[in-house]
Amino acid sequence: MLVIKNARGNDLPVKLASGTRYKQKNVNIEITDYKQNEVYTTRFKSKRLDVVVSYKTQDNKDGVLITFSEDVKSYDPTQHNKLSNWLYDRRLKRDAEKELKKISDTIYARLTF
């Protein structure tokens, strides 16, 4: 939520909900589907890329199953140099790991209270 506050340039409260939009640098971001502790789907769109990332959680007998998916609507690696492609892949992995950690922390907190 700090990212949204920084992108908006204010300290107003942020309520995550489907339809929430903000801009970070040259990327338009929209939360297209959000149900707390169930699904979080976001679309990242700019001149150079259009990507939809989704995290879904499902309780099961062994705990919680977390499913991550990435749907690349458009991204042309030929339009970027090798370093940019490598950085994009590295950042995507790092950001996915951060989000999964946040989700698991939230689920753990939910289960312990």
Side-chain angles (χ1 to χ4, degrees):
M1 290 196 258
L2 182 60
V3 172
I4 296 173
K5 287 182 179 185
N6 289 342
R8 290 180 174 171
N10 62 45
D11 199 32
L12 295 173
V14 174
K15 181 180 179 201
L16 291 181
S18 298
T20 299
R21 296 177 186 189
Y22 60 100
K23 188 171 187 168
Q24 191 173 15
K25 296 186 180 179
N26 64 341
V27 180
N28 293 310
I29 303 164
E30 179 182 5
I31 299 171
T32 56
D33 192 10
Y34 178 78
K35 292 179 188 153
Q36 187 173 6
N37 300 322
E38 289 182 33
V39 65
Y40 178 83
T41 304
T42 305
R43 186 171 199 162
F44 302 87
K45 191 170 185 177
S46 72
K47 292 179 185 177
R48 297 181 151 195
L49 65 89
D50 186 358
V51 178
V52 176
V53 175
S54 182
Y55 304 91
K56 295 179 183 177
T57 63
Q58 181 180 8
D59 294 330
N60 63 34
K61 64 182 175 92
D62 297 321
V64 177
L65 174 67
I66 300 173
T67 306
F68 167 80
S69 66
E70 176 191 34
D71 182 12
V72 179
K73 304 287 186 187
S74 68
Y75 179 80
D76 185 359
T78 63
Q79 297 297 313
H80 308 272
N81 64 43
K82 287 182 182 182
L83 178 62
S84 292
N85 288 320
W86 179 81
L87 289 171
Y88 172 78
D89 290 341
R90 185 171 166 86
R91 182 173 181 182
L92 178 65
K93 182 179 178 183
R94 185 196 70 215
D95 290 351
E97 288 172 350
K98 277 185 186 177
E99 289 301 320
L100 288 172
K101 170 93 171 79
K102 283 189 223 174
I103 290 169
S104 66
D105 289 348
T106 300
I107 291 168
Y108 179 73
R110 182 182 71 179
L111 295 174
T112 58
F113 290 106

